Amino acid sequence: MKCPCCGYEETKVTDSRNQHESNSVRRRRECLECGKRFTTFESVDLTIQVKKRDGSFQEFSLEKLVKGLDSACRHTKISHDQVVAIASDVTMDIMGSGVREIDTLRIGEIVMKKLCKLDPIAYVRFACVYRRFQDMEQLKKALMDVAL
């Protein structure tokens, strides 16, 4: 890690803290040449590609997942902190599976499984977007899934 002040390439870590909301580590570093201190953030490199419905690929984005969950969970008992925790759990599930490519529908199914346990309204809202309901029968089926 280069010192941002003098450019020297050797530093020592003086403090490390986990940043739970972003699955990263915050590190305080000190330059061994000039003695200046600075902060770095290390995060997991998510090299997982998401296959979209149109066949295109995008890099997996925790932020997009949180945004989608926030929309589904708005005005429910699920807090933003819980949304971030759900998104982190989903991310860990995907990474733990060892896949390098995942379909958006599979991500949606993982999320819906978690939402179903927490709040039926958030589950149905999320399901409406991911499953693209075309009629009331599809919505009724999703409601029945929650009731079970």
Side-chain angles (χ1 to χ4, degrees), residues 62-126:
L62 179 66
E63 292 79 22
K64 285 179 75 172
L65 184 55
V66 168
K67 185 178 173 185
L69 280 164
D70 266 337
S71 295
C73 297
R74 190 169 290 127
H75 305 298
T76 67
K77 66 181 181 181
I78 300 175
S79 69
H80 178 71
D81 289 341
Q82 287 175 297
V83 164
V84 172
I86 293 166
S88 293
D89 285 349
V90 170
T91 303
M92 291 303 141
D93 288 352
I94 293 168
M95 290 177 59
S97 69
V99 298
R100 290 284 163 233
E101 182 182 301
I102 190 167
D103 191 88
T104 55
L105 295 176
R106 178 69 187 120
I107 295 171
E109 294 298 323
I110 296 168
V111 171
M112 287 187 293
K113 204 178 270 188
K114 294 183 183 300
L115 284 178
C116 190
K117 296 174 187 173
L118 293 176
D119 188 271
I121 300 299
Y123 166 79
V124 170
R125 286 179 181 167
F126 198 86

Side-chain angles (χ1 to χ4, degrees), residues 10-144:
E10 291 188 42
T11 62
K12 70 176 181 179
V13 174
T14 59
D15 183 44
S16 289
R17 295 188 183 175
N18 289 329
Q19 303 291 102
H20 296 289
E21 61 275 351
S22 61
N23 288 327
S24 63
V25 176
R26 176 185 179 271
R27 297 196 195 280
R28 289 290 295 161
R29 295 179 179 270
E30 183 178 336
C31 176
L32 296 177
E33 179 69 18
C34 69
K36 300 278 184 176
R37 291 180 178 224
F38 58 98
T39 303
T40 60
F41 291 90
E42 296 177 21
S43 61
V44 176
D45 181 20
L46 292 177
T47 55
I48 297 170
Q49 294 293 308
V50 177
K51 185 176 181 182
K52 309 295 277 183
R53 292 175 201 241
D54 66 1
S56 65
F57 286 89
Q58 283 185 350
E59 190 170 322
F60 179 82
S61 169
L62 179 66
E63 292 79 22
K64 285 179 75 172
L65 184 55
V66 168
K67 185 178 173 185
L69 280 164
D70 266 337
S71 295
C73 297
R74 190 169 290 127
H75 305 298
T76 67
K77 66 181 181 181
I78 300 175
S79 69
H80 178 71
D81 289 341
Q82 287 175 297
V83 164
V84 172
I86 293 166
S88 293
D89 285 349
V90 170
T91 303
M92 291 303 141
D93 288 352
I94 293 168
M95 290 177 59
S97 69
V99 298
R100 290 284 163 233
E101 182 182 301
I102 190 167
D103 191 88
T104 55
L105 295 176
R106 178 69 187 120
I107 295 171
E109 294 298 323
I110 296 168
V111 171
M112 287 187 293
K113 204 178 270 188
K114 294 183 183 300
L115 284 178
C116 190
K117 296 174 187 173
L118 293 176
D119 188 271
I121 300 299
Y123 166 79
V124 170
R125 286 179 181 167
F126 198 86
C128 285
V129 173
Y130 261 90
R131 292 187 178 153
R132 295 184 176 181
F133 294 153
Q134 300 296 316
D135 57 39
M136 289 302 292
E137 291 304 315
Q138 291 174 323
L139 180 57
K140 285 179 189 176
K141 183 180 179 330
L143 290 170
M144 293 306 291

